[in-house]
């Protein structure tokens, strides 16, 4: 019953953004560098000084969606921005789709981030993930609980497949739908795919000044990698793994599109995260899917309070 909603509101094809100052746009923060970490699944940019914070963008997103966050927090935190191969101009590399079966994207990324934390000697960093990045962050926190100190999930539920079917939908029952979505997205002519993604992005960013950046980022992502990642999101149910998460967790989310109400949205999130009883759920009003674009100061304030809490 929620299939149209899911396609319009949860398909995360984000964009690079310039850093946001309190009075508008600023140029790219200096001293950007890539960590000394070799992976064919992702790269990591490191900026700032202080306690470690890992930022994971969503499906087809650039790490530049976090540029405003770097500007706000880079003076107090050492920020590690993940760039998934195949997204936003990065070569597909190990995420390339070469066989009949789709290559997993999110689960291997979570394992690579766990390896990054271990090899770089990070001590329980905070991890923040938006949309698909939230899925990766939950995988990381559940499967490597000793690696994550704090966890923030931005506008993502632990089983997106539930939005593609009636109550009681399971991975098994939603897999044929996911396979169909994957086939359509993979085999669509480029112009058709871009047109459909353009429609989706328009509904995910209220801030009109951000939309063209979002569209350009989508255009520079590998179509097959994005399709495989989307299929993986639909068929991944992390609800049974939530009790394994020991990190302090907060979930920021926005109201689903009409006809769903704010109250029903709240109920869906409460039910989705019932397996993580100590989680703090917070709805951000007057925002679409990209909270950091539509309500940046609210997002920065919540993130600041979350990172600095004892």
């Amino acid at each position: 019953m929620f299939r149209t909603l899911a396609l319009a509101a949860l398909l995360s094809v984000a964009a690079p953004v310039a850093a946001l100052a309190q009075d508008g746009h600023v140029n790219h923060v200096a001293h950007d560098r890539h960590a000394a970490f070799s992976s064919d699944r992702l790269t990591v940019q490191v900026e700032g000084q202080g306690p470690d914070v890992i930022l994971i963008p969503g499906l087809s997103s650039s790490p530049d969606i976090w540029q405003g966050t770097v500007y706000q927090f880079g003076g107090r935190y050492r920020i590690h921005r993940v760039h998934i191969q195949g997204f936003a101009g990065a070569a597909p590399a190990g995420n390339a789709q070469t066989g009949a079966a789709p290559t997993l994207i999110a689960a291997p990324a979570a394992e690579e981030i766990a390896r990054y934390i271990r090899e770089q000697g990070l001590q329980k960093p905070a991890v923040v993930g938006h949309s698909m990045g939230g899925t990766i962050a939950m995988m990381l926190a559940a499967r490597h609980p000793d690696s994550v100190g704090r966890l923030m999930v931005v506008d993502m539920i632990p089983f997106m497949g539930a939005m593609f079917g009636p109550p009681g939908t399971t991975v098994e029952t939603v897999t044929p739908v996911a396979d169909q979505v994957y086939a359509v997205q993979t085999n669509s002519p480029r112009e058709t795919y871009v047109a459909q993604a353009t429609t989706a992005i328009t509904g995910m960013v209220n801030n009109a000044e951000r939309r063209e950046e979002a569209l350009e980022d989508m255009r520079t992502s590998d179509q097959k990698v994005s399709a495989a990642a989307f299929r993986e999101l639909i068929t991944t149910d992390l609800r049974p793994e939530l009790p394994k998460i020991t990190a302090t967790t907060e979930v920021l989310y926005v109201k689903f599109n009409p006809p769903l109400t704010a109250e029903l949205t709240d109920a869906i999130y409460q039910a989705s995260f019932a397996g993580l009883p100590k989680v703090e759920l917070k709805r951000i009003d007057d925002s679409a899917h990209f909270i950091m674009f539509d309500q940046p100061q609210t997002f920065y304030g919540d993130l600041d309070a979350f990172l600095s809490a004892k």
Side-chain angles (χ1 to χ4, degrees), residues 98-115:
T98 56
T103 298
L104 295 179
I105 309 298
E111 293 305 310
E112 287 294 83
I113 296 171
R115 181 168 69 89

Side-chain angles (χ1 to χ4, degrees), residues 134-296:
T135 296
I136 295 171
M138 285 185 277
M139 288 176 172
L140 173 66
R143 298 170 188 178
H144 302 273
D146 292 338
S147 296
V148 179
R150 305 183 73 82
L151 171 66
M152 176 178 278
V153 177
V154 183
D155 210 40
M156 192 59 174
I157 55 177
F159 180 35
M160 201 177 83
M163 309 302 288
F164 286 77
T169 293
T170 66
V171 170
E172 290 73 23
T173 61
V174 82
T175 294
V177 176
D179 289 340
Q180 182 180 19
V181 171
Y182 172 71
V184 169
Q185 291 189 344
T186 300
N187 298 316
S188 290
R190 184 64 180 173
E191 59 272 20
T192 301
Y193 176 85
V194 169
Q196 292 173 343
T198 298
T199 299
I201 290 170
T202 299
M204 290 188 290
V205 184
N206 287 345
N207 187 339
E209 294 181 359
R210 295 294 179 198
R211 288 194 189 123
E212 181 52 37
E213 299 171 32
L215 291 169
E216 179 60 21
D217 209 36
M218 173 269 294
R219 295 182 192 117
T220 58
S221 292
D222 185 278
Q223 182 173 331
K224 292 182 178 180
V225 173
S226 294
F230 193 44
R231 181 196 180 279
E232 184 181 1
L233 291 179
I234 298 172
T235 58
T236 297
D237 186 357
L238 295 177
R239 291 174 298 181
E241 298 187 54
L242 292 180
K244 299 177 183 178
I245 296 176
T246 59
T248 299
T249 304
E250 181 173 316
V251 179
L252 303 181
Y253 64 95
V254 302
K255 186 182 81 65
F256 291 135
N257 290 343
L260 298 185
T261 64
E263 291 73 20
L264 185 53
T265 301
D266 292 343
I268 290 171
Y269 268 86
Q270 290 163 5
S272 295
F273 284 93
L276 190 57
K278 293 184 179 180
V279 66
E280 180 178 354
L281 303 174
K282 184 171 184 179
R283 190 181 74 241
I284 305 298
D285 293 324
D286 300 317
S287 177
H289 185 49
F290 289 88
I291 299 171
M292 69 288 291
F293 286 4
D294 292 338
Q295 293 290 343

Side-chain angles (χ1 to χ4, degrees), residues 63-107:
D64 287 347
I65 71 162
W66 304 112
Q67 192 62 61
T69 307
V70 172
Y71 179 81
Q72 294 288 328
F73 295 93
R76 293 182 288 139
Y77 295 92
R78 183 167 61 159
I79 298 177
H80 309 253
R81 287 189 288 171
V82 173
H83 194 165
I84 303 295
Q85 296 298 142
F87 292 168
N95 291 329
Q97 305 298 301
T98 56
T103 298
L104 295 179
I105 309 298

Side-chain angles (χ1 to χ4, degrees), residues 18-54:
L20 273 177
Q22 293 183 354
D23 59 349
H25 294 80
V26 299
N27 291 328
H28 186 72
V29 174
H31 310 302
D32 220 16
R33 66 179 179 85
H34 283 85
F37 176 73
S38 178
S39 172
D40 66 350
R41 294 286 189 160
L42 55 85
T43 59
V44 184
Q45 296 169 267
V46 184
E47 302 117 299
Q49 298 292 330
D52 294 298
V53 179
I54 297 175

